[in-house]
Amino acid sequence: MSDATPPVPGVSASTPSVARINNYFAGGKDNFAIDREIAEKVLALAPEAKDIGTHVQEFRQRVVAHLVKAGVRQFLQVGAWLPVQRNVHQIAQELAPESRAVYVADDPVALNHARALLATNERVGVAEGMILHPDKIVEHPVTRQLIDFSQPVMVLLFGMLQYIPDDFGAYESVAALCDHLAPGSYVAITHAVFDTRPDIAEAVADIYRDALKRPTGGPRTMAEAKRFFDGLELIEPGFVYVRQWRPETPVSDAEAAKHWVAAGVGRKP
C-alpha cells in the first residue's frame, strides 16, 4: 500500500487504524507508515507482539476447522480485520463448500479490501458495523441475506475487545449479540491479557490511546477477559493462552505465557 496515495476516498495516511496495525503484526502489507510507527513502538516494548499475530492466525485456522467438523456452516467475523493469507471463509469452504461467512468492520480500508477480495464469492459478504451496535450487525441486509440466525453460527471476535473500555458497554454488547444466536452457536474470542507482563500493560495501552486519540480499554487480566463468555459454556481447553488452544504440538505453560493473548470458544446452550 502506498503511503502517498490511500486507496479509499476519505482515508488519511496520517491517521492510524487498528485494522492496519494488526495487519502489520500479522506480516501483511496493507498498512501505512503511521501504522508501522505505532506497531514498532509496541514491538520496542514487547518484541513478541509480531509472533502473537502469527499465533492468532494459527488459532483461527484451528478453531474454524474444528467447528466446521462439528457441523457449523455459518460464520460471522466482527472487528479490526484485513485480508490475511488464510481467511475464515477460505478455511471453512475448503472443508465444507456450502459454508457462508459475513465480515463486519467499521474501518473503511478494511471494508474496501474485503469487498474487493470477496466480490466473486456469492456465499461471502461484507457489512459495515461494530460490536457496540450488535442489533445493527444482525439487521444489516448483507447479514440477513447470508446468515440464518435460527441455525448455529460461529462468531469471531478477534483482537478488538481489548480496545473497548468497560464503560462503553463492551461486556453488554457481546451479551446482546449472543442473544441473537441460536442454541448450539459458538463465540470465539482472542484478547490481550497482561497477567504475566504487568510491566508493559499500561505502556502498551498508552501507545494506543495516544495514537487513536480516543479512549481505549484499560488492560484486562485473564479473569476479566473471561467474563465475555458469561452465559456460554467454554469448550475444552477453556480460556487459555492462544498457543494452548488445541495445538498440533503441546506447548508448556511457561512458553505459552510469553505470548500474552488468550483465546477461547464458548458454546451457547
Side-chain angles (χ1 to χ4, degrees):
M1 181 182 291
S2 169
D3 292 333
T5 311
V8 184
V11 173
S12 170
S14 63
T15 302
S17 154
V18 170
R20 299 194 306 265
I21 295 168
N22 288 348
N23 175 261
Y24 180 74
F25 284 138
K29 299 184 183 301
D30 296 314
N31 44 73
F32 296 140
I34 187 63
D35 307 304
R36 297 189 288 273
E37 178 183 334
I38 294 161
E40 289 296 338
K41 289 181 180 179
V42 175
L43 289 169
L45 288 170
E48 66 273 16
K50 205 152 194 177
D51 289 337
I52 288 173
T54 299
H55 296 318
V56 169
Q57 288 192 73
E58 292 170 348
F59 168 68
R60 179 190 293 111
Q61 168 77 32
R62 296 195 303 272
V63 73
V64 172
H66 175 76
L67 292 181
V68 170
K69 292 172 184 176
V72 177
R73 296 293 183 270
Q74 303 186 108
F75 300 85
L76 182 66
Q77 178 164 325
V78 183
W81 173 83
L82 275 166
V84 292
Q85 189 171 8
R86 296 277 293 157
N87 298 290
V88 169
H89 71 282
Q90 293 166 316
I91 301 166
Q93 290 177 352
E94 283 182 4
L95 296 168
E98 70 276 20
S99 296
R100 301 187 300 278
V102 172
Y103 296 96
V104 179
D106 62 348
D107 179 283
V109 174
L111 290 166
N112 183 68
H113 276 260
R115 288 170 178 144
L117 173 72
L118 308 174
T120 60
N121 193 321
E122 63 182 14
R123 294 183 181 273
V124 185
V126 182
E128 185 171 1
M130 62 186 304
I131 188 60
L132 293 178
H133 303 292
D135 291 347
K136 291 183 179 180
I137 293 174
V138 172
E139 293 164 3
H140 194 285
V142 172
T143 309
R144 283 296 183 188
Q145 179 184 355
L146 288 168
I147 302 295
D148 177 0
F149 285 96
S150 71
Q151 299 298 315
V153 179
M154 177 188 182
V155 175
L156 298 95
L157 303 172
F158 280 22
M160 38 78 72
L161 293 172
Q162 62 238 30
Y163 302 108
I164 305 175
D166 293 356
D167 57 8
F168 276 39
Y171 293 108
E172 294 84 356
S173 296
V174 173
L177 182 58
C178 290
D179 286 343
H180 289 283
L181 304 178
S185 294
Y186 296 85
V187 178
I189 294 173
T190 68
H191 195 297
V193 294
F194 293 94
D195 301 63
T196 61
R197 293 300 310 272
D199 55 309
I200 65 167
E202 284 296 339
V204 170
D206 283 343
I207 289 171
Y208 283 98
R209 291 184 189 114
D210 292 343
L212 301 177
K213 308 300 182 189
R214 65 174 188 261
T216 60
R220 293 191 180 102
T221 63
M222 182 85 79
E224 289 167 338
K226 188 178 179 181
R227 285 179 49 205
F228 285 109
F229 293 101
D230 285 357
L232 304 174
E233 299 171 345
L234 274 169
I235 68 172
E236 290 294 332
F239 191 52
V240 296
Y241 286 106
V242 65
R243 296 183 66 193
Q244 291 183 306
W245 201 93
R246 304 193 181 207
E248 294 181 4
T249 304
V251 179
S252 70
D253 291 346
E255 186 63 26
K258 292 178 182 178
H259 300 93
W260 31 266
V261 163
V265 180
R267 181 182 184 275
K268 184 172 179 178

